[in-house]
């Protein structure tokens, strides 16, 4: 086990993962942190107009989510170790801007063509107003990158032209909407998970 991987071991599960071939790619995790600091501007509250500088919990979560890797025989390259994460922090700790940050990163800076990123919540209004609004305002304020995106404020959808990737809000507010969304393939970022029904 290399020294970087050893430094990022936090628990017994990490120990087992490292023993089974997982490793920590610090540059990959740092890329996510740097993306926020260099390109994203907060739009509301006491930090409006300032760059998104990650707090301790955001650094830890981002580094772990994007830095832990494993080799994939199927894809012939390293892929992320974690496919799911549940992160619980108290109110007023910038959870919604964090989801917008990770969503916009997956949209345009992760290197995947045709990525579909869904910002999810209990209902459509919440998905649109919380994380969706943050994502659009961040993209609108992006230094030097704004021209690479199409923004549809009616649908609250952002399209990254170069990768043909989209980011948009979805919800499970009624049974018809739930059925229509079955089979969607992409990255889902769920805000206020504790109030979202299983469906």
């Amino acid at each position: 086990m290399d020294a970087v991987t050893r430094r990022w071991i936090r628990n017994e599960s990490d120990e087992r993962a490292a023993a089974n071939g997982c490793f920590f790619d610090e540059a990959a995790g740092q890329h996510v942190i740097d993306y926020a600091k260099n390109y994203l501007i907060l739009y509301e509250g006491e930090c409006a107009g300032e760059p998104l500088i990650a707090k301790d919990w955001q650094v830890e979560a981002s580094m772990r989510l994007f830095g832990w890797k494993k080799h994939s025989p199927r894809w012939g390259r390293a892929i992320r170790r974690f496919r799911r994460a549940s992160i619980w922090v108290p109110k007023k700790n910038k959870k919604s801007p964090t989801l917008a940050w990770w969503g916009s990163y997956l949209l345009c800076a992760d290197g995947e063509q045709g990525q579909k990123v869904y910002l999810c919540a209990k209902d459509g209004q919440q998905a649109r107003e919380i994380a969706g609004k943050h994502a659009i305002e961040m993209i609108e304020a992006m230094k030097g990158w704004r021209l690479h995106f199409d923004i549809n404020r009616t649908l609250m959808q952002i399209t990254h032209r170069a990768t043909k990737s989209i980011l948009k809000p979805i919800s499970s507010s009624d049974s018809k909407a739930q059925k229509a969304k079955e089979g969607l393939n992409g990255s889902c970022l769920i805000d206020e998970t504790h109030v979202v029904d299983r469906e």
Side-chain angles (χ1 to χ4, degrees):
M1 179 187 316
D2 64 87
V4 172
T5 300
R6 169 61 60 194
R7 193 165 60 247
W8 280 93
I9 287 181
R10 301 290 187 259
N11 52 48
E12 199 174 307
S13 178
D14 292 345
E15 290 275 5
R16 284 195 304 272
N20 287 320
C22 289
F23 62 95
F24 200 87
D25 181 348
E26 210 161 40
Q30 190 61 47
H31 189 254
V32 181
I33 305 296
D34 293 343
Y35 165 82
K37 180 178 69 176
N38 295 331
Y39 296 106
L40 301 183
I41 305 294
L42 295 165
Y43 90 96
E44 70 174 4
E46 61 191 34
C47 297
E50 295 178 12
L52 197 165
I53 307 294
K55 294 181 172 187
D56 289 347
W57 77 265
Q58 293 168 310
V59 170
E60 183 74 11
S62 300
M63 292 294 285
R64 286 182 59 75
L65 282 174
F66 292 92
W68 271 106
K69 302 270 185 86
K70 63 181 178 179
H71 180 72
S72 167
R74 177 181 179 190
W75 300 108
R77 61 181 168 83
I79 61 170
R80 284 192 278 272
R81 170 187 166 196
F82 296 112
R83 295 185 66 204
R84 292 189 187 113
S86 183
I87 300 164
W88 297 77
V89 293
K91 288 185 175 209
K92 302 303 177 190
N93 271 291
K94 299 191 178 0
K95 292 187 299 293
S96 297
T98 302
L99 292 182
W101 157 23
W102 291 342
S104 72
Y105 178 85
L106 292 168
L107 174 73
C108 67
D110 199 35
E112 184 173 335
Q113 294 287 318
Q115 172 68 281
K116 290 164 185 67
V117 183
Y118 302 108
L119 299 173
C120 312
K122 168 75 172 174
D123 58 59
Q125 189 74 5
Q126 184 181 20
R128 292 163 62 89
E129 287 183 4
I130 299 180
K133 174 76 169 155
H134 281 282
I136 284 179
E137 295 301 334
M138 286 177 178
I139 296 292
E140 288 276 14
M142 258 186 168
K143 306 170 194 169
W145 278 32
R146 173 56 185 95
L147 297 175
H148 299 280
F149 300 90
D150 293 320
I151 295 176
N152 181 324
R153 283 187 175 266
T154 303
L155 299 175
M156 299 295 281
Q157 178 171 306
I158 304 167
T159 303
H160 183 238
R161 292 188 202 123
T163 59
K164 297 177 179 57
S165 298
I166 62 163
L167 179 149
K168 66 181 184 177
I170 62 170
S171 69
S172 60
S173 51
D174 62 63
S175 59
K176 187 184 279 188
Q178 291 165 16
K179 197 162 190 72
K181 291 167 186 131
E182 285 180 12
L184 289 178
N185 185 16
S187 298
C188 295
L189 303 164
I190 304 172
D191 204 1
E192 304 290 346
T193 308
H194 64 287
V195 298
V196 176
D197 297 332
R198 178 177 168 81
E199 290 78 10

